[in-house]
Amino acid sequence: MSDLHVATGGGRRGDLLLDLIVGAADQCEGERGSTFAALYATARAAERTSPAGAERATATTDRLLQKISAAQGLGPQATPPRAASPRGTTP
C-alpha cells in the first residue's frame, strides 16, 4: 500500500487512481463499510514507510478519506482538518 502513496502523487492521474479504488470498494455489496475501513486503515499504516515521504503520504490518505466520505454520502464536512502528527515516527 505504500506504493499507493507514490502512485497517487501525480496530480490528476493520482486523483483518478483514488477514484478508481474507492469506486471499486463502493461496489462491494454487503461489505462496503468494512472494505472502506480496511482501505483507509491500510493507507494510514503505510504512511510510515512510504517512499513518497510521510507528508505526501498523509496528504494522499486525507484525500482518500475525503473520497470515501463522499462515496458514503457524508460529504467533505465529515473530514475535519487533522493537526500535524508524528505518525511517521511512531508504530
Side-chain angles (χ1 to χ4, degrees), residues 5-86:
H5 297 297
V6 174
T8 57
R12 179 76 180 131
R13 285 185 181 170
D15 212 38
L16 288 172
L17 179 57
L18 290 177
D19 286 339
L20 178 65
I21 292 168
V22 170
D26 196 29
Q27 299 298 314
C28 295
E29 294 189 28
E31 297 179 13
R32 185 173 166 241
S34 61
T35 303
F36 283 142
L39 178 60
Y40 178 70
T42 304
R44 288 263 331 248
E47 288 174 2
R48 290 188 303 271
T49 59
S50 173
E55 186 175 323
R56 185 166 130 198
T58 299
T60 299
T61 303
D62 288 345
R63 186 71 180 131
L64 175 63
L65 181 58
Q66 290 172 356
K67 290 181 177 293
I68 289 170
S69 295
Q72 293 177 312
L74 300 175
Q77 65 275 18
T79 310
R82 291 193 290 182
S85 73

